Amino acid sequence: MKILMVHNRYQIQGGEDRSFDSESQLLEQYGHQVFRYIRENNEIAQTISRLEVGVRSVWSQTDYLEINRVIEEFSPDIVHVQNFFPLISPSVYYAARKHNIPVIQSLRNYRLWCLNAYFFRASSPCELCLDKPVALPGIFHRCYRDSYLQSSAVALMQSTHRLLRTWQKKVDRYIVLTDFFKDKAVQGGLPDKKLSIKPNFVATDPGAAYTKENFLLYVGRLSPEKGIQTLLAAWMQHSDLPTLKFIGRGPMVEDIQKVAGQREHVDYLGELPLNDVYDWMGKAKALVFSSQWYEGLPRTIIEAFAKGTPVITSRLGAMENLVGHQYTGLHFELGNVEDLVRQIRWMEAHPQEWAVIQQNARKEFELKFTAERNYQLLMAIYQRAISEASR
């Protein structure tokens, strides 16, 4: 099969970029031909004005013509879009339709309905724009980059393609990561019959490690929506907690470094290569995942499962379903410092149960999140899209 993979990369690499790379490589490993059409957000600062970005997010004639050319030369069986925002735009769908090529769109954030793509505002989940024809609350609250102008540009993209029924008519199948995400997509107006659930996966099994050290680990973007402040507050208030180590980068790096300078049991390791991250994951007694937005399906959670490391997570959205309480980890109430501490105390007081939970985490990975299992799901979705499009 020949697959045209389309993706707009972020300035700071995140889970969506890694998922694009992993799926592309997975398909090639199984003998498929993959053409990668990529735009980089670094182009914005270098060659593209903010005004042009706003216009292109609604319709990029440049990418429409270029994708037309690629389709004519490559003749793909399917076009799989990972992220079109902001440079590629939904024009990619129209280019594929011109050539009668089935279109798959992976959804790993809530950009079709929320200006900042997180359903997150003022330190808590927000769905004010989910059922609105125009995201006026998001414009009022300057939800995209704290700017009325840029928020208006994203809202224009959403409402234009909602009016044109682009989301309903120009995409053959959507891939969503969880049942929770599917429910939100249906509430937002996507046809249930076009939604397929396929989780993220770990491309290369890093292997379980059951000899743990007495520390907890955070891995990911260091930003407010990730609940970093909840973690810092807990470790500032309780000096007898196990050491907490941070891996990653983002706007809250200085806050973490400041606390690390004041508390011996907080440590910032910086941004590390993936193999080093896996090494720390394997040693950690637990991964802490304190996110305050719904998330899609966090890669760090399934990577922790692969290492046999349970996860202590916010009781919210996909995380609540992904992590079984006292089965593959623990839940704590969103943003509640004392409840987080209580769950850590439970872990420390139940070492035998925690050893079983470690085994459960690894089993969950083997059952749901391997590359082999993911390939089977992905090919079933492709075949269904091709079959439906032909009819």
Side-chain angles (χ1 to χ4, degrees):
M1 185 179 290
K2 299 171 74 173
I3 301 106
L4 172 56
M5 289 287 247
V6 179
H7 185 53
N8 195 133
R9 288 193 184 276
Y10 294 85
Q11 286 178 306
I12 298 178
Q13 187 184 54
E16 292 185 48
D17 295 320
R18 289 175 58 196
S19 292
F20 168 78
D21 292 334
S22 295
E23 284 192 349
S24 300
Q25 292 164 10
L26 179 68
L27 289 164
E28 288 176 330
Q29 288 168 11
Y30 278 89
H32 301 284
Q33 295 182 55
V34 179
F35 187 100
R36 296 164 176 81
Y37 184 88
I38 299 171
R39 288 292 185 189
E40 306 268 357
N41 274 359
N42 288 333
E43 297 176 40
I44 296 172
Q46 297 169 1
T47 60
I48 303 173
S49 68
R50 292 290 181 187
L51 178 60
E52 185 180 351
V53 171
V55 173
R56 281 183 64 164
S57 70
V58 180
W59 181 273
S60 173
Q61 185 68 9
T62 298
D63 292 275
Y64 174 77
L65 295 174
E66 185 63 16
I67 290 170
N68 262 299
R69 183 190 65 78
V70 171
I71 289 174
E72 289 171 357
E73 294 180 1
F74 182 59
S75 299
D77 298 295
I78 205 155
V79 174
H80 186 167
V81 184
Q82 300 279 347
N83 175 44
F84 63 74
F85 183 83
L87 297 178
I88 297 172
S89 85
S91 67
V92 59
Y93 307 148
Y94 289 81
R97 282 291 185 185
K98 178 182 177 182
H99 297 273
N100 297 315
I101 308 297
V103 176
I104 304 288
Q105 172 67 62
S106 289
L107 295 178
R108 292 192 171 88
N109 62 47
Y110 301 98
R111 181 76 66 192
L112 300 191
W113 310 278
C114 175
L115 301 191
N116 64 30
Y118 295 148
F119 281 145
F120 179 81
R121 183 181 62 81
S123 302
S124 63
C126 171
E127 297 182 11
L128 288 177
C129 298
L130 177 59
D131 58 353
K132 301 291 191 300
V134 180
L136 293 178
I139 297 172
F140 176 78
H141 292 292
R142 299 178 298 182
C143 287
Y144 186 70
R145 296 185 177 271
D146 197 30
S147 164
Y148 288 121
L149 182 60
Q150 293 186 65
S151 295
S152 298
V154 181
L156 179 62
M157 180 275 291
Q158 293 174 338
S159 57
T160 297
H161 291 285
R162 190 173 291 125
L163 182 64
L164 294 172
R165 295 189 62 77
T166 299
W167 318 130
Q168 288 80 10
K169 293 184 176 181
K170 301 301 181 182
V171 179
D172 293 281
R173 295 214 67 79
Y174 289 92
I175 295 176
V176 296
L177 301 171
T178 63
D179 288 307
F180 178 86
F181 202 126
K182 183 178 180 180
D183 290 342
K184 293 300 173 191
V186 171
Q187 289 177 42
L190 294 188
D192 182 276
K193 64 182 181 180
K194 287 193 173 189
L195 298 169
S196 296
I197 299 173
K198 183 189 75 66
N200 290 328
F201 68 101
V202 176
T204 302
D205 184 354
Y210 297 116
T211 302
K212 305 297 186 181
E213 299 178 13
N214 191 32
F215 71 88
L216 306 184
L217 182 68
Y218 173 91
V219 178
R221 180 170 167 78
L222 307 176
S223 53
E225 75 276 3
K226 294 292 188 177
I228 301 297
Q229 196 56 51
T230 301
L231 300 180
L232 296 180
W235 266 260
M236 285 291 289
Q237 295 170 23
H238 298 271
S239 60
D240 60 338
L241 290 175
T243 295
L244 174 61
K245 298 180 184 291
F246 287 91
I247 296 176
R249 64 172 173 152
M252 294 191 70
V253 166
E254 292 184 2
D255 301 81
I256 293 167
Q257 291 174 323
K258 181 179 178 180
V259 173
Q262 298 171 355
R263 293 289 187 270
E264 292 184 355
H265 65 326
V266 175
D267 190 13
Y268 176 56
L269 302 177
E271 188 176 29
L272 300 178
L274 184 58
N275 286 338
D276 292 344
V277 173
Y278 284 159
D279 186 48
W280 284 109
M281 274 186 175
K283 295 175 183 177
K285 187 172 286 187
L287 180 83
V288 285
F289 198 89
S290 52
S291 190
Q292 295 181 269
W293 74 285
Y294 292 145
E295 296 279 353
L297 194 160
R299 296 187 63 86
T300 51
I301 290 181
I302 62 176
E303 288 168 342
F305 285 174
K307 295 299 296 184
T309 300
V311 179
I312 301 175
T313 182
S314 311
R315 189 186 301 113
L316 178 71
M319 292 89 75
E320 184 173 0
N321 300 125
L322 186 60
V323 178
H325 185 63
Q326 296 185 10
Y327 180 72
T328 54
L330 298 169
H331 297 163
F332 68 93
E333 185 180 339
L334 179 67
N336 189 320
V337 171
E338 291 309 314
D339 194 31
L340 169 60
V341 172
R342 274 193 296 273
Q343 301 310 318
I344 295 170
R345 302 289 191 217
W346 187 94
M347 175 193 71
E348 293 179 309
H350 298 82
Q352 292 182 331
E353 290 90 337
W354 200 248
V356 174
I357 290 173
Q358 291 175 7
Q359 298 283 344
N360 292 342
R362 174 64 190 184
K363 290 176 184 176
E364 189 77 354
F365 164 74
E366 292 173 348
L367 180 65
K368 298 179 180 178
F369 305 115
T370 63
E372 187 175 37
R373 174 60 178 152
N374 206 270
Y375 174 73
Q376 295 169 353
L377 292 171
L378 183 58
M379 291 310 297
I381 293 168
Y382 282 179
Q383 294 293 351
R384 183 172 179 181
I386 291 170
S387 175
E388 291 172 344
S390 67
R391 290 200 298 268

